[in-house]
Amino acid sequence: MFYVGLYRLFCSGIVEIRKGQRNYPDNNYKSEVYMSKKIVIKLNGKDVEVEKGQTILQAAKAYGVDIPHYCYHPGLSIAGNCRMCLVNVALKNPRNPEAPAKWMPKPFIACQTTVSPGMEVDTESEKTKAIQQAIMEFLLINHPLDCPECDQAGECRLQDYSYEYGQDRSRFIEEKNVRRIKNVGPHIALWGTRCIVCSRCVRFLQEISGTGELSVFERGDRSVVDIHPRREVDNPLAGNVVDLCPVGALVSRDFLYKARVWFLEHTNSICNRCSKGCNIRVDSLDGNIKRIKPRMNMAVNEYWMCDYGRFGWKSIYSDDRLLSPLRQSAPVDWKTAYHELKDTLTKAKGGGIGALVSMYATNEELYLINQLAKKSLGIEMIAPLEVEVKNDEVFPKFTIPGDKQPNRKGFDLILGETVSYDQIMDEIESKSLKSLIVFGGIPDYQYKFELVEAAEDLKILILFDLMKSDLTRIAHLTFPMLSFAEKSGTYVNADGRVQRFDKAVEPNFPAHEEINILQKMIKIQSGSQKTLTPGAIFGRLAREHSSFKRINYKSLGDQGQNIVL
Amino acid sequence: MQKKEFKYKWNLVDKIYLPAVLKGLLNTFKHLFMPSFTYEYPDEPFNPAPRFRGEHRLKKDEKGRIKCTACFMCATICPAKCITIVAAPSPEEYGSDRNKYPAIFDVNELRCISCGYCEEVCPKDAIELSVKMPRVYTSREEFIYNRDKLASN
């Protein structure tokens, strides 16, 4: 070990050690020092060029060689305690670089060992295979054979690696350690028996959320992850530990037994619960959302998401959802609603029309509202329907913004300068505004009492909303809106990144997309126009607004693109 | 290269036809004196071989609990997609060693093609195809067997 330590010191240089980055190799991509230097190592007998400062695991991954691992996670510090990534390594003698590399007597962990010039790595030989098999056997000693009732089955690392690297039977005849099932938080349950003590969850709660509720207790084969007495894992980032757990030890209480993961359909989406715009994946079964998981995007949310977004989808299946258009708060079918819309708009035209638009509207909807305002209907003033901005929740490596509106930036860019909410209220009171269009769609929102009171005096009120509210009682015409999972569109997050979300599930009522309703409104005013898809509308938007230059619906991909400032 | 076509040449016996007819009739008469294989089904009971694949059955363990843990293996493997399962945390009388059980376990016997994959794939040995012949009902709904019916099958 001394020899290796000395060698590392030699190779990596004192400067790098002083930077304290050796334990965080994933942060190295930020440093240009590492980017510029390339070294050559031999990976499974082939010469490959890798970046200096990378670990063996990262270097191998770049060349398509997957080294099995449990405790290593690119977003966390390196613990090196699962020993699954052990590989055989040959090193050069630093005092004699001419001599051939010498195979080390014991294997190295690939997740922590940084590459060095002339290094040879072997991940495929019989010797390495035997090590991996032995480690799998150790990990499975106390692991129960309860895959049939485990929620992780199907996306379980232990299952996958056991199949790939493990043996087909156990030699362990002694009794296994059994621990009882415990609820460690409002959303998390702990199956202690299944835990392989990789400490990913412990490191996450220490490094990212900084709350540190979970710790490893006891020692040796009895060591187990657990909470301190009466300290539940209830921070707003707690749901991530379930995603992190490579086995089924930490499971979501919300998703427990809901579905088998191999039946789920995955759709890339964007969380609409705050202005951060976390990249998410909506998992649905038979058209019903079952869970939401974060998707990696290093520019936005890295690997994580908060619990507000994770469980925010439940309002989609709320009993208060509007399921059909309403005329004077009585349900009507879509044909009647459109007929009524035509009459209402003809009545309203020229008589002072205002609009309240929420910042939950997608860029495409905002573009159409702008068209409606400027060109066809002549809406005189548009004001934002804002939700109160709270304080940011700051964690050591993650911030949950206090601004809960996903598309504030897009609103400002597309609608330009708008009047304030109070101004609209004043105009309604002074009777110069006789008609109002409210474009809501804010989940779990209560309209202010003064708005409801003032709206009663209006000649015409057209409402777009998700849920039944006080305003639906008054509105002359109400259209049901779709949630983020039921339509597709784009949002611009607080950092100015345009991100696309796709339709994950079909709405479970006869619904028309908002963009279609808005286009119908334009059509009524200015004659024939083709009904456009969200992609086509975004194309027009990009042509007209310089900020969206060189961005199109397809080029957004699943990672999004920054707007031009 | 062209294949040479084989052409059977008919001889005199073939052309008469009668010897071949008599040969066939002889075989028929022979069967009159052999033991019969048919039985008159509704009147006589049907005793199939033990490996016969009939209706499904959910097995119970020694404590009377349904062995099934709702792992969805059978629903996944089923080529006819005739099994519908909804899992739930097991009721209290199941004890602490059983966490999950099927709240709903429906098998559509009309869709089932009796391939026996469900039986083969089950990790808990909880489902089997019994030797019972599929019964006759007057509506399609009755062919969808629920959990309790399958358990008592």
Side-chain angles (χ1 to χ4, degrees):
Chain A
M1 257 345 259
F2 174 69
Y3 175 77
V4 178
L6 201 71
Y7 175 67
R8 272 207 206 141
L9 202 75
F10 227 84
C11 282
S12 47
I14 297 156
V15 187
E16 290 167 23
I17 296 166
R18 229 184 253 160
K19 278 182 181 169
Q21 290 199 335
R22 268 182 54 212
N23 271 345
Y24 296 91
D26 254 57
N27 295 343
N28 291 348
Y29 72 94
K30 286 169 190 161
S31 164
E32 285 178 14
V33 180
Y34 295 99
M35 292 291 279
S36 57
K37 286 187 184 170
K38 293 249 177 186
I39 55 172
V40 175
I41 66 163
K42 212 172 224 181
L43 181 65
N44 292 334
K46 260 188 230 163
D47 280 335
V48 293
E49 201 178 50
V50 299
E51 280 158 28
K52 200 185 169 193
Q54 270 190 322
T55 59
I56 297 174
L57 196 133
Q58 290 168 326
K61 201 177 177 187
Y63 284 92
V65 179
D66 274 333
I67 299 171
H69 58 273
Y70 293 111
C71 69
Y72 170 78
H73 189 279
L76 302 171
S77 68
I78 291 164
N81 56 16
C82 74
R83 318 309 286 181
M84 193 60 211
C85 61
L86 284 172
V87 288
N88 281 309
V89 171
L91 293 172
K92 288 234 176 207
N93 185 350
R95 292 196 199 90
N96 184 11
E98 302 298 314
K102 194 183 155 198
W103 287 99
M104 293 290 110
K106 285 184 180 178
F108 283 23
I109 46 169
C111 67
Q112 198 167 29
T113 315
T114 44
V115 290
S116 60
M119 176 190 253
E120 281 183 47
V121 180
D122 151 45
T123 69
E124 288 175 348
S125 72
E126 287 301 312
K127 205 178 158 191
T128 316
K129 285 245 163 75
I131 295 163
Q132 286 163 343
Q133 204 177 57
I135 295 292
M136 273 314 297
E137 203 174 7
F138 272 129
L139 290 173
L140 288 171
I141 276 184
N142 279 316
H143 194 84
L145 195 61
D146 64 351
C147 299
E149 59 178 56
C150 178
D151 264 354
Q152 190 83 3
E155 52 184 12
C156 175
R157 287 289 195 67
L158 210 59
Q159 235 179 9
D160 295 350
Y161 290 157
S162 179
Y163 184 75
E164 249 174 284
Y165 304 100
Q167 299 174 344
D168 61 346
R169 63 203 65 220
S170 169
R171 290 185 293 169
F172 190 72
I173 48 166
E174 290 80 8
E175 244 179 59
K176 295 189 176 199
N177 285 343
V178 179
R179 291 182 183 83
R180 66 192 179 84
I181 302 152
K182 189 174 175 182
N183 290 336
V184 293
H187 302 304
I188 305 163
L190 174 72
W191 253 258
T193 323
R194 292 179 189 157
C195 181
I196 57 164
V197 205
C198 69
S199 83
R200 271 186 181 189
C201 49
V202 177
R203 276 175 287 147
F204 174 84
L205 291 172
Q206 276 169 4
E207 291 159 18
I208 313 293
S209 76
T211 44
E213 291 101 338
L214 288 170
S215 297
V216 180
F217 292 87
E218 302 215 40
R219 298 199 171 195
D221 73 325
R222 279 178 299 273
S223 56
V224 67
V225 168
D226 207 340
I227 47 168
H228 298 273
R230 294 188 297 284
R231 293 258 173 114
E232 290 203 322
V233 193
D234 54 359
N235 66 71
L237 296 179
N240 287 307
V241 297
V242 176
D243 302 338
L244 276 173
C245 189
V247 296
L250 290 160
V251 295
S252 168
R253 283 170 70 184
D254 179 59
F255 183 65
L256 194 68
Y257 306 149
K258 285 278 154 59
R260 294 307 252 173
V261 291
W262 55 84
F263 289 127
L264 296 175
E265 268 178 57
H266 311 307
T267 317
N268 290 345
S269 188
I270 301 295
C271 181
N272 78 337
R273 282 289 163 152
C274 75
S275 56
K276 197 180 182 92
C278 288
N279 288 220
I280 55 168
R281 196 186 76 196
V282 180
D283 290 357
S284 58
L285 177 68
D286 302 334
N288 286 309
I289 301 174
K290 291 289 169 188
R291 66 173 179 188
I292 279 174
K293 286 214 158 208
R295 192 154 51 85
M296 193 199 83
N297 190 340
M298 291 315 281
V300 184
N301 57 330
E302 298 193 352
Y303 308 89
W304 327 114
M305 74 180 293
C306 71
D307 282 3
Y308 307 125
R310 194 183 289 271
F311 303 111
W313 57 270
K314 298 215 161 164
S315 62
I316 295 172
Y317 299 111
S318 152
D319 293 338
D320 289 341
R321 267 300 283 281
L322 286 169
L323 301 179
S324 70
L326 307 177
R327 183 177 61 188
Q328 311 281 13
S329 72
V332 288
D333 61 4
W334 281 94
K335 211 175 165 186
T336 326
Y338 283 138
H339 199 73
E340 186 71 21
L341 179 69
K342 197 173 182 179
D343 292 352
T344 319
L345 287 183
T346 335
K347 241 188 273 174
K349 200 171 185 186
I353 309 171
L356 282 173
V357 182
S358 83
M359 289 166 181
Y360 284 74
T362 64
N363 292 329
E364 292 75 27
E365 286 157 17
L366 289 170
Y367 173 77
L368 289 173
I369 289 167
N370 200 23
Q371 290 280 313
L372 199 62
K374 300 266 158 65
K375 288 191 181 148
S376 57
L377 191 60
I379 297 171
E380 280 159 19
M381 37 178 56
I382 298 178
L385 188 65
E386 272 186 270
V387 181
E388 197 188 345
V389 176
K390 295 173 199 148
N391 287 334
D392 289 3
E393 285 179 73
V394 183
F395 297 94
K397 279 195 190 167
F398 196 87
T399 308
I400 304 171
D403 183 5
K404 296 294 174 196
Q405 296 157 119
N407 205 15
R408 180 184 288 275
K409 204 109 184 177
F411 186 93
D412 293 344
L413 285 169
I414 294 162
L415 293 186
E417 284 202 359
T418 52
V419 299
S420 74
Y421 177 80
D422 295 330
Q423 233 167 316
I424 284 251
M425 291 307 294
D426 290 344
E427 294 287 330
I428 295 172
E429 264 171 47
S430 66
K431 306 261 176 188
S432 56
L433 266 190
K434 282 176 190 144
S435 315
L436 187 68
I437 298 169
V438 178
F439 201 83
I442 307 170
D444 313 325
Y445 180 68
Q446 286 282 322
Y447 288 101
K448 282 178 193 154
F449 182 67
E450 45 167 8
L451 174 65
V452 179
E453 211 175 31
E456 281 181 9
D457 302 336
L458 283 167
K459 202 171 106 194
I460 283 158
L461 175 63
I462 300 173
L463 176 67
F464 291 78
D465 213 346
L466 275 172
M467 305 277 182
K468 283 171 200 155
S469 64
D470 296 338
L471 224 51
T472 41
R473 253 186 322 106
I474 307 161
H476 302 95
L477 200 55
T478 310
F479 289 104
M481 278 180 94
L482 295 176
S483 67
F484 75 100
E486 292 158 344
K487 62 183 177 188
S488 46
T490 55
Y491 281 144
V492 187
N493 79 353
D495 301 330
R497 198 176 181 82
V498 190
Q499 302 187 106
R500 192 186 75 210
F501 56 94
D502 296 333
K503 185 179 192 170
V505 292
E506 287 287 335
N508 47 13
F509 57 94
H512 290 195
E513 281 187 39
E514 293 88 333
I515 48 166
N516 292 350
I517 304 169
L518 287 168
Q519 287 185 79
K520 208 129 206 169
M521 284 167 87
I522 296 173
K523 220 185 261 182
I524 288 167
Q525 295 303 319
S526 54
S528 65
Q529 193 199 15
K530 260 198 284 179
T531 311
L532 301 170
T533 58
I537 298 167
F538 189 84
R540 293 195 176 191
L541 171 71
R543 243 177 285 146
E544 285 178 31
H545 291 264
S546 57
S547 313
F548 293 94
K549 224 186 241 168
R550 285 194 293 279
I551 302 175
N552 69 48
Y553 210 61
K554 271 199 184 135
S555 74
L556 286 172
D558 57 359
Q559 299 278 299
Q561 263 180 302
N562 281 326
I563 51 165
V564 189
L565 288 171
Chain B
M1 205 180 99
Q2 234 181 348
K3 254 189 186 174
K4 205 181 172 187
E5 214 172 284
F6 175 77
K7 213 168 188 184
Y8 183 77
K9 276 187 180 169
W10 290 43
N11 57 22
L12 189 71
V13 182
D14 290 338
K15 281 178 184 168
I16 295 170
Y17 289 111
L18 214 59
V21 172
L22 288 175
K23 214 172 162 186
L25 276 174
L26 191 73
N27 197 19
T28 314
F29 275 105
K30 225 193 270 176
H31 276 268
L32 275 179
F33 306 103
M34 281 161 91
S36 90
F37 287 100
T38 52
Y39 63 96
E40 297 182 4
Y41 165 55
D43 300 334
E44 285 176 40
F46 169 55
N47 297 318
R51 66 172 186 183
F52 179 79
R53 299 195 290 258
E55 284 184 341
H56 299 79
R57 173 165 59 220
L58 281 178
K59 290 192 198 169
K60 286 180 176 174
D61 63 2
E62 66 279 358
K63 287 180 189 168
R65 309 175 294 191
I66 292 172
K67 273 187 179 178
C68 175
T69 55
C71 72
F72 285 71
M73 280 294 142
C74 48
T76 309
I77 200 82
C78 183
K81 298 274 167 278
C82 69
I83 304 177
T84 314
I85 308 173
V86 173
S90 58
E92 270 180 28
E93 65 261 25
Y94 270 44
S96 61
D97 59 328
R98 287 282 308 278
N99 304 311
K100 194 181 174 190
Y101 93 124
I104 294 174
F105 195 110
D106 287 351
V107 178
N108 190 339
E109 296 288 344
L110 283 180
R111 280 191 79 110
C112 177
I113 58 166
S114 304
C115 65
Y117 278 9
C118 49
E119 190 179 8
E120 200 175 313
V121 82
C122 184
K124 296 280 174 185
D125 194 19
I127 194 169
E128 71 168 0
L129 293 172
S130 64
V131 291
K132 275 184 192 168
M133 278 272 272
R135 276 169 270 187
V136 178
Y137 298 107
T138 49
S139 74
R140 285 176 178 272
E141 284 72 35
E142 282 171 285
F143 279 99
I144 300 170
Y145 288 11
N146 63 16
R147 187 190 65 198
D148 299 329
K149 187 166 184 182
L150 288 166
S152 60
N153 212 346

Short mmCIF file of all heavy atoms in Angstrom, two decimals, chain A residues 401-438:
data_model
loop_
_atom_site.label_atom_id
_atom_site.label_comp_id
_atom_site.label_asym_id
_atom_site.label_seq_id
_atom_site.Cartn_x
_atom_site.Cartn_y
_atom_site.Cartn_z
N PRO A 401 -36.04 26.47 -5.65
CA PRO A 401 -36.38 27.88 -5.77
C PRO A 401 -37.72 28.20 -5.10
O PRO A 401 -38.62 27.36 -5.05
CB PRO A 401 -36.47 28.10 -7.28
CG PRO A 401 -35.88 26.91 -7.90
CD PRO A 401 -36.04 25.79 -6.95
N GLY A 402 -37.82 29.43 -4.59
CA GLY A 402 -39.07 29.86 -3.97
C GLY A 402 -40.10 30.25 -5.02
O GLY A 402 -41.29 30.24 -4.75
N ASP A 403 -39.62 30.60 -6.22
CA ASP A 403 -40.54 30.94 -7.30
C ASP A 403 -41.09 29.64 -7.88
O ASP A 403 -40.39 28.88 -8.53
CB ASP A 403 -39.78 31.73 -8.38
CG ASP A 403 -40.72 32.16 -9.49
OD1 ASP A 403 -41.93 31.93 -9.36
OD2 ASP A 403 -40.23 32.72 -10.48
N LYS A 404 -42.36 29.39 -7.62
CA LYS A 404 -42.93 28.10 -7.98
C LYS A 404 -43.46 28.06 -9.40
O LYS A 404 -44.05 27.08 -9.82
CB LYS A 404 -44.04 27.73 -7.00
CG LYS A 404 -43.55 27.52 -5.58
CD LYS A 404 -42.64 26.31 -5.48
CE LYS A 404 -42.03 26.19 -4.10
NZ LYS A 404 -40.89 25.27 -4.07
N GLN A 405 -43.30 29.15 -10.17
CA GLN A 405 -43.89 29.18 -11.51
C GLN A 405 -42.87 28.75 -12.55
O GLN A 405 -41.79 29.34 -12.64
CB GLN A 405 -44.41 30.58 -11.79
CG GLN A 405 -45.51 30.90 -10.83
CD GLN A 405 -45.72 32.38 -10.65
OE1 GLN A 405 -46.77 32.88 -10.93
NE2 GLN A 405 -44.70 33.07 -10.18
N PRO A 406 -43.21 27.73 -13.33
CA PRO A 406 -42.18 27.13 -14.20
C PRO A 406 -41.80 27.99 -15.40
O PRO A 406 -40.77 27.76 -16.01
CB PRO A 406 -42.84 25.83 -14.65
CG PRO A 406 -44.29 26.08 -14.56
CD PRO A 406 -44.49 27.01 -13.41
N ASN A 407 -42.64 28.95 -15.79
CA ASN A 407 -42.36 29.61 -17.06
C ASN A 407 -42.36 31.13 -16.95
O ASN A 407 -42.86 31.83 -17.83
CB ASN A 407 -43.38 29.14 -18.11
CG ASN A 407 -42.87 29.26 -19.51
OD1 ASN A 407 -41.66 29.43 -19.72
ND2 ASN A 407 -43.74 29.19 -20.48
N ARG A 408 -41.79 31.67 -15.89
CA ARG A 408 -41.74 33.12 -15.74
C ARG A 408 -40.91 33.75 -16.86
O ARG A 408 -41.28 34.76 -17.45
CB ARG A 408 -41.13 33.49 -14.39
CG ARG A 408 -41.04 34.99 -14.17
CD ARG A 408 -40.35 35.29 -12.86
NE ARG A 408 -41.19 34.96 -11.72
CZ ARG A 408 -42.10 35.80 -11.22
NH1 ARG A 408 -42.29 36.97 -11.75
NH2 ARG A 408 -42.82 35.45 -10.19
N LYS A 409 -39.78 33.12 -17.16
CA LYS A 409 -38.89 33.65 -18.19
C LYS A 409 -39.58 33.66 -19.57
O LYS A 409 -39.50 34.64 -20.31
CB LYS A 409 -37.63 32.78 -18.24
CG LYS A 409 -36.44 33.49 -18.80
CD LYS A 409 -35.44 33.77 -17.71
CE LYS A 409 -34.28 34.56 -18.23
NZ LYS A 409 -33.34 34.89 -17.15
N GLY A 410 -40.26 32.55 -19.86
CA GLY A 410 -40.95 32.47 -21.14
C GLY A 410 -42.06 33.50 -21.23
O GLY A 410 -42.29 34.12 -22.28
N PHE A 411 -42.75 33.72 -20.14
CA PHE A 411 -43.82 34.73 -20.07
C PHE A 411 -43.27 36.11 -20.41
O PHE A 411 -43.82 36.83 -21.24
CB PHE A 411 -44.39 34.72 -18.64
CG PHE A 411 -45.59 35.59 -18.45
CD1 PHE A 411 -46.86 35.09 -18.58
CD2 PHE A 411 -45.43 36.93 -18.11
CE1 PHE A 411 -47.97 35.88 -18.39
CE2 PHE A 411 -46.53 37.74 -17.92
CZ PHE A 411 -47.81 37.21 -18.06
N ASP A 412 -42.13 36.46 -19.77
CA ASP A 412 -41.54 37.77 -20.00
C ASP A 412 -41.03 37.92 -21.42
O ASP A 412 -41.15 38.98 -22.03
CB ASP A 412 -40.39 38.00 -19.01
CG ASP A 412 -40.90 38.12 -17.58
OD1 ASP A 412 -42.12 38.32 -17.42
OD2 ASP A 412 -40.10 37.97 -16.64
N LEU A 413 -40.46 36.83 -21.95
CA LEU A 413 -39.89 36.91 -23.30
C LEU A 413 -40.96 37.03 -24.38
O LEU A 413 -40.82 37.80 -25.32
CB LEU A 413 -39.02 35.67 -23.58
CG LEU A 413 -37.66 35.61 -22.91
CD1 LEU A 413 -37.07 34.23 -23.08
CD2 LEU A 413 -36.73 36.65 -23.48
N ILE A 414 -42.02 36.28 -24.22
CA ILE A 414 -43.01 36.19 -25.30
C ILE A 414 -44.04 37.31 -25.22
O ILE A 414 -44.36 37.96 -26.22
CB ILE A 414 -43.70 34.81 -25.29
CG1 ILE A 414 -42.67 33.72 -25.63
CG2 ILE A 414 -44.83 34.75 -26.30
CD1 ILE A 414 -43.08 32.36 -25.25
N LEU A 415 -44.56 37.56 -24.02
CA LEU A 415 -45.60 38.59 -23.92
C LEU A 415 -45.01 39.98 -23.80
O LEU A 415 -45.73 40.97 -23.89
CB LEU A 415 -46.51 38.29 -22.73
CG LEU A 415 -47.38 37.04 -22.86
CD1 LEU A 415 -48.33 36.92 -21.69
CD2 LEU A 415 -48.17 37.03 -24.15
N GLY A 416 -43.71 40.09 -23.56
CA GLY A 416 -43.08 41.41 -23.46
C GLY A 416 -43.58 42.13 -22.22
O GLY A 416 -43.84 41.53 -21.19
N GLU A 417 -43.76 43.43 -22.35
CA GLU A 417 -44.19 44.20 -21.18
C GLU A 417 -45.69 44.04 -20.96
O GLU A 417 -46.48 44.19 -21.88
CB GLU A 417 -43.83 45.68 -21.39
CG GLU A 417 -42.35 45.91 -21.17
CD GLU A 417 -42.04 47.35 -20.83
OE1 GLU A 417 -42.97 48.17 -20.78
OE2 GLU A 417 -40.87 47.63 -20.63
N THR A 418 -46.04 43.73 -19.75
CA THR A 418 -47.45 43.57 -19.42
C THR A 418 -47.82 44.55 -18.31
O THR A 418 -46.94 45.10 -17.66
CB THR A 418 -47.74 42.14 -18.92
OG1 THR A 418 -46.82 41.84 -17.88
CG2 THR A 418 -47.61 41.13 -20.04
N VAL A 419 -49.11 44.73 -18.12
CA VAL A 419 -49.55 45.57 -17.00
C VAL A 419 -49.57 44.73 -15.74
O VAL A 419 -49.45 43.50 -15.80
CB VAL A 419 -50.95 46.16 -17.26
CG1 VAL A 419 -50.94 47.03 -18.49
CG2 VAL A 419 -51.99 45.07 -17.36
N SER A 420 -49.74 45.37 -14.59
CA SER A 420 -49.72 44.60 -13.35
C SER A 420 -51.13 44.11 -13.01
O SER A 420 -52.12 44.57 -13.59
CB SER A 420 -49.18 45.46 -12.21
OG SER A 420 -50.16 46.40 -11.84
N TYR A 421 -51.16 43.17 -12.10
CA TYR A 421 -52.42 42.56 -11.67
C TYR A 421 -53.35 43.62 -11.07
O TYR A 421 -54.55 43.64 -11.34
CB TYR A 421 -52.07 41.48 -10.65
CG TYR A 421 -53.23 40.77 -10.02
CD1 TYR A 421 -53.89 39.75 -10.68
CD2 TYR A 421 -53.66 41.10 -8.73
CE1 TYR A 421 -54.94 39.08 -10.10
CE2 TYR A 421 -54.71 40.45 -8.14
CZ TYR A 421 -55.35 39.45 -8.83
OH TYR A 421 -56.39 38.81 -8.25
N ASP A 422 -52.76 44.52 -10.26
CA ASP A 422 -53.57 45.56 -9.60
C ASP A 422 -54.22 46.50 -10.62
O ASP A 422 -55.35 46.93 -10.43
CB ASP A 422 -52.69 46.36 -8.63
CG ASP A 422 -52.20 45.49 -7.49
OD1 ASP A 422 -52.94 44.54 -7.15
OD2 ASP A 422 -51.11 45.73 -6.98
N GLN A 423 -53.46 46.76 -11.69
CA GLN A 423 -53.98 47.65 -12.73
C GLN A 423 -55.25 47.08 -13.35
O GLN A 423 -56.22 47.79 -13.57
CB GLN A 423 -52.91 47.83 -13.81
CG GLN A 423 -52.60 49.27 -14.10
CD GLN A 423 -51.35 49.40 -14.93
OE1 GLN A 423 -50.36 48.73 -14.67
NE2 GLN A 423 -51.40 50.24 -15.92
N ILE A 424 -55.20 45.77 -13.61
CA ILE A 424 -56.38 45.09 -14.17
C ILE A 424 -57.55 45.19 -13.21
O ILE A 424 -58.69 45.46 -13.59
CB ILE A 424 -56.05 43.60 -14.48
CG1 ILE A 424 -55.20 43.50 -15.75
CG2 ILE A 424 -57.31 42.77 -14.56
CD1 ILE A 424 -55.87 42.93 -16.96
N MET A 425 -57.24 44.99 -11.92
CA MET A 425 -58.30 45.05 -10.91
C MET A 425 -58.94 46.43 -10.88
O MET A 425 -60.16 46.57 -10.78
CB MET A 425 -57.73 44.71 -9.53
CG MET A 425 -57.31 43.26 -9.35
SD MET A 425 -58.57 42.06 -9.77
CE MET A 425 -59.76 42.42 -8.50
N ASP A 426 -58.08 47.46 -11.00
CA ASP A 426 -58.60 48.83 -11.01
C ASP A 426 -59.51 49.06 -12.22
O ASP A 426 -60.57 49.66 -12.10
CB ASP A 426 -57.42 49.83 -11.05
CG ASP A 426 -56.67 49.84 -9.73
OD1 ASP A 426 -57.25 49.33 -8.75
OD2 ASP A 426 -55.52 50.32 -9.70
N GLU A 427 -59.06 48.55 -13.38
CA GLU A 427 -59.83 48.74 -14.61
C GLU A 427 -61.19 48.07 -14.52
O GLU A 427 -62.18 48.59 -15.01
CB GLU A 427 -59.04 48.18 -15.80
CG GLU A 427 -57.76 48.93 -16.12
CD GLU A 427 -58.03 50.28 -16.76
OE1 GLU A 427 -59.05 50.42 -17.44
OE2 GLU A 427 -57.20 51.20 -16.56
N ILE A 428 -61.19 46.88 -13.88
CA ILE A 428 -62.47 46.17 -13.74
C ILE A 428 -63.40 46.97 -12.84
O ILE A 428 -64.60 47.12 -13.11
CB ILE A 428 -62.26 44.74 -13.18
CG1 ILE A 428 -61.47 43.89 -14.16
CG2 ILE A 428 -63.60 44.08 -12.90
CD1 ILE A 428 -61.06 42.54 -13.61
N GLU A 429 -62.84 47.53 -11.77
CA GLU A 429 -63.66 48.29 -10.83
C GLU A 429 -64.21 49.56 -11.46
O GLU A 429 -65.36 49.93 -11.20
CB GLU A 429 -62.84 48.63 -9.58
CG GLU A 429 -63.07 47.63 -8.46
CD GLU A 429 -62.13 47.81 -7.31
OE1 GLU A 429 -61.95 48.96 -6.87
OE2 GLU A 429 -61.56 46.81 -6.87
N SER A 430 -63.38 50.18 -12.32
CA SER A 430 -63.84 51.42 -12.96
C SER A 430 -64.67 51.14 -14.21
O SER A 430 -65.00 52.05 -14.97
CB SER A 430 -62.64 52.29 -13.31
OG SER A 430 -61.87 51.65 -14.30
N LYS A 431 -64.98 49.85 -14.43
CA LYS A 431 -65.89 49.41 -15.51
C LYS A 431 -65.38 49.70 -16.92
O LYS A 431 -66.15 49.64 -17.88
CB LYS A 431 -67.29 50.07 -15.35
CG LYS A 431 -67.91 49.86 -14.00
CD LYS A 431 -68.91 48.73 -14.03
CE LYS A 431 -69.41 48.52 -12.61
NZ LYS A 431 -70.22 47.42 -12.35
N SER A 432 -64.10 50.03 -17.06
CA SER A 432 -63.60 50.21 -18.43
C SER A 432 -63.22 48.87 -19.06
O SER A 432 -63.12 48.75 -20.27
CB SER A 432 -62.41 51.16 -18.44
OG SER A 432 -61.42 50.70 -17.58
N LEU A 433 -63.01 47.85 -18.21
CA LEU A 433 -62.81 46.48 -18.73
C LEU A 433 -64.11 45.73 -18.50
O LEU A 433 -64.56 45.58 -17.37
CB LEU A 433 -61.68 45.78 -17.98
CG LEU A 433 -60.27 45.82 -18.57
CD1 LEU A 433 -59.39 44.87 -17.80
CD2 LEU A 433 -60.26 45.47 -20.03
N LYS A 434 -64.69 45.29 -19.62
CA LYS A 434 -65.98 44.60 -19.47
C LYS A 434 -65.85 43.09 -19.62
O LYS A 434 -66.70 42.34 -19.18
CB LYS A 434 -66.97 45.15 -20.47
CG LYS A 434 -67.52 46.49 -20.02
CD LYS A 434 -68.43 47.09 -21.05
CE LYS A 434 -68.73 48.52 -20.66
NZ LYS A 434 -68.83 49.38 -21.83
N SER A 435 -64.77 42.64 -20.31
CA SER A 435 -64.59 41.21 -20.51
C SER A 435 -63.21 40.80 -20.03
O SER A 435 -62.25 41.57 -20.14
CB SER A 435 -64.71 40.85 -22.00
OG SER A 435 -65.81 41.51 -22.54
N LEU A 436 -63.15 39.58 -19.51
CA LEU A 436 -61.87 39.10 -18.99
C LEU A 436 -61.66 37.64 -19.41
O LEU A 436 -62.60 36.83 -19.35
CB LEU A 436 -61.86 39.23 -17.46
CG LEU A 436 -60.53 38.93 -16.75
CD1 LEU A 436 -59.50 39.99 -17.07
CD2 LEU A 436 -60.74 38.86 -15.25
N ILE A 437 -60.44 37.35 -19.85
CA ILE A 437 -60.08 35.96 -20.12
C ILE A 437 -59.07 35.57 -19.06
O ILE A 437 -58.03 36.23 -18.91
CB ILE A 437 -59.48 35.79 -21.53
CG1 ILE A 437 -60.51 36.18 -22.60
CG2 ILE A 437 -59.00 34.37 -21.76
CD1 ILE A 437 -59.95 36.31 -23.98
N VAL A 438 -59.36 34.53 -18.30
CA VAL A 438 -58.42 34.06 -17.27
C VAL A 438 -57.82 32.75 -17.74
O VAL A 438 -58.54 31.78 -17.97
CB VAL A 438 -59.11 33.89 -15.90
CG1 VAL A 438 -58.12 33.38 -14.88
CG2 VAL A 438 -59.70 35.20 -15.44
#
